[in-house]
Amino acid sequence: MDSALIPEGAKRCSFPKFAIGIAVVGAVLLWGVFAMLLCWIKGLNQTNMNDYYGFALWIWADLAIIAIGGGAFFTGLLKYLFGIDELKNIINFAVIIGFICYSSALLILAIDIGQPLRGWFIFWHANVHSMLTEVAFCLSCYFAVLTIEFIPNILENPKLDKVPFFHNLSHNMHGVMAIFAATGAFLSFFHQGSLGGVAGVLYGRPFAFREGLLIWPWTFFLFTFSAAAYGPTFTILVTKITEAVTRKKLVKENVINLLAKISGWMITIYIIAKIIDTIYWAVSTAPEMGFTFMDFYSNNPVYGVSILFAEIVIGGIVPGLLLIFKQTRENPRLRLIAMILAVFGVCLNRWVMVLQVMAVPVMTFDQWAMYIPSWQEVATTILPVAYGIILIALCYRYLPVFPQEQELYAGNEQGAES
Amino acid sequence: MSELDEKTENGSVEATGECGTEEKKAKDNSGIGLGVIFFLVAFGVVFLSGWLLFPKLLYSEKEQPFNFNHDLHVYEMGSCDACHYVREDGSFSGLPDLYSCTQCHYEEPMGTTEDEKIFCEEYVAKGKEVPWLVYSKQPDNVFFSHAAHTEGAGMDCKTCHGHIGESKELPVYEENRLTGYSRDIWGDNIWGIKKNSWDRMKMDDCAECHEKETGSKGSCFQCHK
Amino acid sequence: MSKQNTHGKTYKFGMVIDLDKCTGCGSCMVACMSENNVPFKEDETDKKDSIAWMRVYKLTNGKSFPETEICYLPRPCMQCGGKGDHGHSPCVSVCPAVATDYGHDTGVVSQIPVRCFGCRYCMAACPYHARYFNWWDPKWPGEMEKYLSPDVSPRMRGVVEKCSFCYHRYQAARDKAYYEHREEIHEDEYQTACTEACPAGAITFGDLHNPSHKVHQLVKPDPHHSGRPRNPKAFRLLERLETNPKVYYISEKEWVRKAGDNYLEGEWKKMNKKHG
Amino acid sequence: MKVDRRCFLGLGLGVVAGAVVSPPGAKLTDDLAIWTQNWPWTPVPKDGKVTYEKTTCSLCKGNCGISVRKVGGRPVHISGQEGHPVSDGGACLHGISGLQYLYGLTRINAPLKRNGDTFEKISWKEAVSHVADRLNTMRENGDADKLACITGKERGSIPELFKRFMKVYGSPHYYSMSDMNTTWRTVAETMHGVNADMGFDFENATHILSFGSGLLEGWGSPVNNFRINAGRKDKGGKLVQVEPRLSNTAACADRWVPALPGSEADLALAVCSVIMKEELYDASYLASYNTGFSAFTRLVASTYTPEKMESRTGVSASDIKSLAREFAKADKPLAVAGKGRGENAGDLREFAAVHALNCLVGNINSKGGVWLNKALEYLKFPEEKMDADAEKGLEKEPEPSVASLVEKIAESDSSQIQALLLEEANICYTMHDVDRVKKALEKVPFKVSFSSFMDETAKAADIILPAHTFLERYEDLPSDPTMSIQVVGLSVPVQKPLKETLNPGDAVIRIAKAMKGVIAENFPWKKYEDCLESGTGKLWDALSDKGYAVVSDKAPAKSVNADLSFFSVNNGKVLEIAGDRAEYPFTLVPYDNMRITSSEVVSSPFAVKTVSDEEIKGKDSFAQMNPETARKLGVSQGDRVKINTPAGSATVRVQVFEGVMPGLIGMPRGLGHTVDNPYVARKGVNTNQLISASIDPNTGQDAAFGINAKISRV
């Protein structure tokens, strides 16, 4: 019944089937929306945050999705600026994922602040010294860029494409996309970095504080680099999931492997930098403030050295190496594992840089503070996931997201999902 | 599928582009003109309504309980600070309360004006404070020290309050429907353009003067609580 | 942080708390709540969401019976001068909307609730937990709204608040000085509510720049080291983070002074030798 | 002409362009900013002229001078009053939160009459005549002596008026709540043969030996003691605290000596024995003024040697000796008893033993010592006119204490007491074994409460005649007897009554005037103020002008005899606390915390807010125990345990605290109120429901300091 909207030649499941799928996810979405409204109407007392945990699950979610959304800018950078043309076959999807991640990040921020109606003061009364201001500006600008990058893809919807105006518009935009990609890359560099800066500049919090270059603490560069390194792994992971769900090959292996290879090297380089940073912090920065390395990893039920091990080794070194070596990289199963570990690794890093910072006692007579999110926090954090799934489903169904789909599909006839 | 490929192959795209413009050219002659007209009309309507209609919508006119003749009172009492004075502890008395007024006005009017009659009957007799609408009322978080300006800097009331002291009639009180504050804070000019120092009472106006006189805007706590 | 009102007299207000005199009676906390319109809830036993601009911590020396010792440590906002004492306090530098700033004329760190939109970054930045968030809309049951003071603007839900060194009392003192055409305010004209309330007289407040003020005489701040105390019995909380607080503590008990900051194994002894 | 896309494009662009160059954008953004900053539900306190009014705080017996800041006539803040002889600028957290009492949630708005389980509002006229009629009938039936009256305070014109009323009515049953001063007065009688208040000149003492006195927990006149303690630190005076638990006083002391609870008397006597043996006593003083010295010497030498007392007190012989030497050799030594805040009567033997130390070092009536101040007698009322009924009723014997009165009521089947007047005495909360007290009260058919707040006792009353709060009323307030100087403070209204309340003084005058016979004649005053002014006589000028009057600030004449025969006569019968050790292996000792009131006054929301989360958590209160005790019981921090005592049982959480003696359980007093105020009540356990009265055989007073208890996990 919606066949007119489906790209020509693309096989899609029946509309009812699609609708049911959407409805199921939609239910979850609504649950999230309900929680969101609670937080807006009744206030943040709906959460389990407190004066020790001013930053909690939401800020982590923000940092995490922006990190894994980094695939968009990095892939764009590679394609348009370094002219790695194979990536055109995945760039659309990377952009969509980026769009989802960034729109979600903004939404979560809007829920997280105590006076949402004053949120725009961050622009109106901006304090240029604050990392958060930098984040807000770059975030919203980059979101605009992503939207622009997304539009042409939308316009390629057969129905819209019929309209010559849109047809031309999208085509012309394709032409100038390189400029946007460049801008996007530039903005991303700063907001990814400033997100790192958010924790790094807290010189009252020895666990988070890092020295650095000029006004930028090392975490600034680490965050940017990690986003570039880990972002694509998430893009690939989602692609793989989509392929699994639709039971179709959507992107050629060579493209995936290429991106995976680049990621692999990036991750490895990043993790080396991260290790150096950690060692320097542990032997110089923290002791100067009177803290031993173990002070941050003992006397509490959750945060032990295992966390650090998990982040650096399991979430960094392992996926890095798996993706560097051809044979492991090109083994689908191992590659998948690498992707999952990588995403886990970067998310854990963000968690530590937000939650553990809050947990560590600084005054000698203070205690470790532990925190468990309330269901409202969890629901509002799942909300973007549901929203993302729905948007991907819609895009996949109605937009020519994967240029190689037809070609790959030509061979094997199969029933397509959602 | 063919279509999909076309997209990315420049040649064919050019082609489509061409023919697209071809078709359009036909309509253009009429289209352009009409477009321009629509543009002008829309622009005109929005622009004018912004200037003329908007203020009417934004502000509601409120009546003062009764008219107050500043000119007369200044003449009788000698100066502003006869009624609006800085107390010995440095705080500002603000509007005189009923008690201060009754130092002169008893239940029997002194003069013959209708307004004084209202005052004596409705307020003095009933011992009710007059619910004046204050033109210079600022939000609660604003701390303003009259002592600092009149005593410390020796400024004249006029600098901020203008010529209210010479008025025989109270100006109409225009209340901002959104904020609930008087129009005098933003100033009569809807763009907020001011000719005199007393035309506006926004933070920027304070800052401007402080910048000029003290070399800095000052810290938040200087004017906020 | 920008250059600010430095015309006329500038001060550096600070507080000295004698922990040996403090009995932990809590008068300072209540005086502060009453002075600054701090609200209260039915259940205030979760100290992680209980607003107390002035909070009294209980320290123990960790020894077992009967060698146990306890000490109470009142903790207002430290009004940090930040690294190098230039006003880049941990919280001020991070606030994205300039809802908190450093008063270079007084050394007091402001907090303007109506400018704050509740991102809580400042709270994450403060190692002293001196900043509190209004998780609930404050409500004053019965007729209690009638005792609210006009000197301090009541806060709304969703904003951060903290100790202001009773800045409104400074304003009042200044107004009086203006009225009497004085340039300077006297030591006793500006005292915080907690200082005034302490029945043990454990809290002293004044201008750290002014050698004639008690606070200066008590701690002898070292101008070359951002006001580090030269009195060996005096210390500041977390001195080593270079937050440069304006609140000093005094105690004869070594274990108490040691509890003021973090030290690596054996570091304390070394440092103390230095202090002589 | 065809309207096509371009037209819409034009339209759109036109709108945008028009909007950009017209004011609303900028203006609305600014207004929006203001709008989002001023929510209508955020209160905006009214500004006005600032004024300060002096008065005296009567929330506790300390009676500090306070200053109330008002804005436009509206009280907004309370602080200490500079130069006041009692508190000199200081104030405690309860006084400072006074406005939360003025606007208290449980305030009673008007006179109330019980109607089944609820109260109905009545007019003052009705209320007064109702009470008067009832009392008239009783009196006509010859039951004058079946009226009892309990006042919270003991001194001042308001209690005096009640006392006077009872006398002319013809009932011996006038009582005020006893506290450590009741016991101190008995000590003064027994050991010095004088009727005096015992004041302690801590200010000038150089060595204070305190047997569990919570000098920093609210003992005596709290703020006065805080100030003195701070001064002591400056002057280098010593404080030695004997207490089984590391209280705030012990923490601030120079030496903390944990002694077994209840062994204070023995420890004091052991210290005496050392002083005797080593002849460290003030020979010159004892030579001229003493009785029973030699007998006392023999007794302590034989029975109370440090070695013998080691196990009894838990203090080593060497420590006892050093205690004695430090004390006796000090320039101005001073020993003091009265556990915690001293809100309960003490064990006479303990007090006497401790005071024996003062006698031995001869600091009686000397600088830095104990002052036997002549009981304040500044109030002068006209001689009572008595009639036959009154004389007859007064022939009956009163009970020695409220505790024994309650005991008597509880025991008797046919009610001995038919009507009870309760003036600001919340006995259904403050007395030991409250459940028993409540039951006893049920037996009294007619109860009148004069409380300002709907407290536990008012709830049980039949008529409530609500009183002004301390900020709304006149009252003369004599300083606490434990102070060396004697001051009378004046409480003046800083706020005109918010509710339909009366000064209790006025209430009793009105009732009296509505009574038959001589009673009315005995209350000639039109209103309480007149009575106060005439009654205080020559003090009035000072009171009305300064707000206080210093009655005496000099030590009385030194020449007073010290009689030590008390111990040798009957060896001071020993006080036992309830509970057989075999069944109840632990000792529960409630402790006082300055931040929580435990008198008839319920803590304010502010005060409760300051209480540590190791004392109240949610609705639970905590029981402090040593880690060793916890290990024995197999419990750890935060666990819930059940405490059983002969009096009752309660569930609390465990607070593991190194500073408490093994085997001892500490619980904070003042919690577990059941009044209708969610901010302060139904939090934790009222220790009085776990403690049963232990009547001191020497005085008939309830001197229970604790009780034996058993603990089981939940």
Side-chain angles (χ1 to χ4, degrees), chain C residues 166-274:
Chain C
C166 288
Y167 199 88
H168 56 283
R169 289 184 171 217
Y170 168 67
Q171 296 284 36
R174 287 232 309 185
D175 280 356
K176 193 162 193 305
Y178 281 127
Y179 184 79
E180 294 163 5
H181 299 282
R182 281 185 282 125
E183 174 66 11
E184 223 171 308
I185 62 167
H186 306 134
E187 186 173 14
D188 59 349
E189 278 183 311
Y190 171 32
Q191 291 293 319
T192 65
C194 49
T195 312
E196 176 188 87
C198 180
I203 309 179
T204 320
F205 185 80
D207 180 7
L208 292 164
H209 277 337
N210 188 334
S212 72
H213 280 211
K214 280 190 232 69
V215 284
H216 188 284
Q217 293 157 354
L218 280 168
V219 296
K220 304 181 189 59
D222 181 348
H224 310 299
H225 295 87
S226 322
R228 191 196 297 151
R230 278 176 292 192
N231 169 356
K233 300 283 183 238
F235 66 96
R236 299 190 288 186
L237 279 182
L238 305 175
E239 178 77 56
R240 307 179 71 179
L241 299 187
E242 295 180 70
T243 51
N244 286 317
K246 282 184 207 59
V247 177
Y248 297 74
Y249 297 90
I250 294 183
S251 176
E252 289 293 326
K253 301 196 181 109
E254 189 181 12
W255 73 267
V256 172
R257 297 201 296 274
K258 188 162 183 272
D261 207 341
N262 298 283
Y263 299 96
L264 306 175
E265 208 58 40
E267 235 177 359
W268 170 256
K269 291 204 166 32
K270 261 197 256 94
M271 292 195 167
N272 273 38
K273 280 200 196 66
K274 261 215 314 287

Side-chain angles (χ1 to χ4, degrees), chain A residues 183-207:
Chain A
T183 335
F186 175 76
L187 289 169
S188 301
F189 176 80
F190 276 101
H191 77 251
Q192 294 284 4
S194 41
L195 277 172
V198 165
V201 296
L202 301 179
Y203 67 93
R205 299 283 198 158
F207 181 76

Side-chain angles (χ1 to χ4, degrees), chain B residues 140 145 216 220-222 225, chain C residues 4-5 101 114 150 153 171 175:
Chain B
D140 181 49
S145 162
S216 96
C220 300
F221 262 169
Q222 219 169 330
K225 57 182 189 180
Chain C
Q4 268 173 15
N5 194 347
D101 80 338
V114 293
S153 196
Q171 296 284 36
D175 280 356

Side-chain angles (χ1 to χ4, degrees), chain B residues 4 34 39 43 48 52 56 108 141 178 186 207-208 212:
Chain B
L4 280 166
L34 208 54
F39 175 84
F43 179 83
L48 290 177
L52 308 171
K56 297 268 166 299
E108 283 312 304
N141 66 297
L178 202 56
W186 172 270
E208 184 189 327
K212 194 155 100 267

Side-chain angles (χ1 to χ4, degrees), chain A residues 217-234:
Chain A
W218 296 129
T219 48
F220 183 99
F221 307 98
L222 288 172
F223 268 50
T224 311
F225 206 90
S226 55
Y230 288 91
T233 61
F234 183 68

Side-chain angles (χ1 to χ4, degrees), chain C residues 20-27 29-31 33-35 37-47 50-52 56 58 60 63-66 68-70 72 114-115 137 139-152 154-156 169 193 196-197 199-200 253, chain D residues 37 39 41-43 45-47 69 71 74-77 79 89-93 96-97 99-100 103-105 216 223 226-227 229-230 233-234 244 246 248 251-252 256 258 499 594-595 605-607 609-613 616-618 626 657-662 678-679 683:
Chain C
D20 298 340
K21 283 184 185 168
C22 176
T23 65
C25 74
S27 300
M29 300 168 81
V30 170
M33 294 174 196
S34 154
E35 178 78 12
N37 299 336
V38 174
F40 53 90
K41 317 189 295 290
E42 285 187 15
D43 183 355
E44 292 281 9
T45 59
D46 179 357
K47 299 305 176 188
S50 171
I51 301 176
V56 178
K58 182 179 177 183
T60 56
K63 297 216 180 106
S64 57
F65 182 88
T68 321
E69 285 181 38
I70 58 177
Y72 290 92
V114 293
R115 171 66 69 84
D137 244 319
K139 71 171 199 285
W140 286 269
E143 301 165 281
M144 288 193 187
E145 226 171 80
K146 291 205 189 118
Y147 71 56
L148 292 183
S149 156
D151 301 334
V152 183
R155 281 71 62 186
M156 64 284 295
R169 289 184 171 217
E196 176 188 87
K253 301 196 181 109
Chain D
Q37 293 182 34
W39 302 123
W41 56 85
T42 309
K46 207 173 167 313
D47 203 351
R69 183 167 87 232
V71 174
R74 184 168 62 90
V76 299
H77 185 67
S79 52
C92 80
L93 72 165
I96 295 168
S97 53
L99 296 175
Q100 295 197 320
Y103 295 110
L105 296 182
L216 301 179
V223 172
F226 285 126
R227 284 179 42 245
N229 181 68
K233 294 257 178 192
D234 293 335
L246 183 65
N248 289 357
C252 273
W256 169 42
K499 317 278 183 185
M594 189 58 207
R595 300 186 193 175
F606 275 161
K609 183 174 177 173
T610 66
V611 176
S612 146
D613 57 356
I616 321 173
K617 186 79 187 163
N626 187 284
F657 178 43
E658 294 280 4
V660 52
M661 182 180 266
Y679 295 88
K683 298 173 188 288

Side-chain angles (χ1 to χ4, degrees), chain B residues 127-158:
Chain B
K128 203 161 105 235
E129 290 289 338
V130 186
W132 294 114
L133 301 162
V134 185
Y135 302 97
S136 53
K137 184 167 177 282
Q138 296 281 351
D140 181 49
N141 66 297
V142 176
F143 168 85
F144 181 82
S145 162
H146 276 86
H149 294 82
T150 59
E151 309 294 315
M155 285 165 68
D156 185 2
C157 308
K158 282 196 188 59

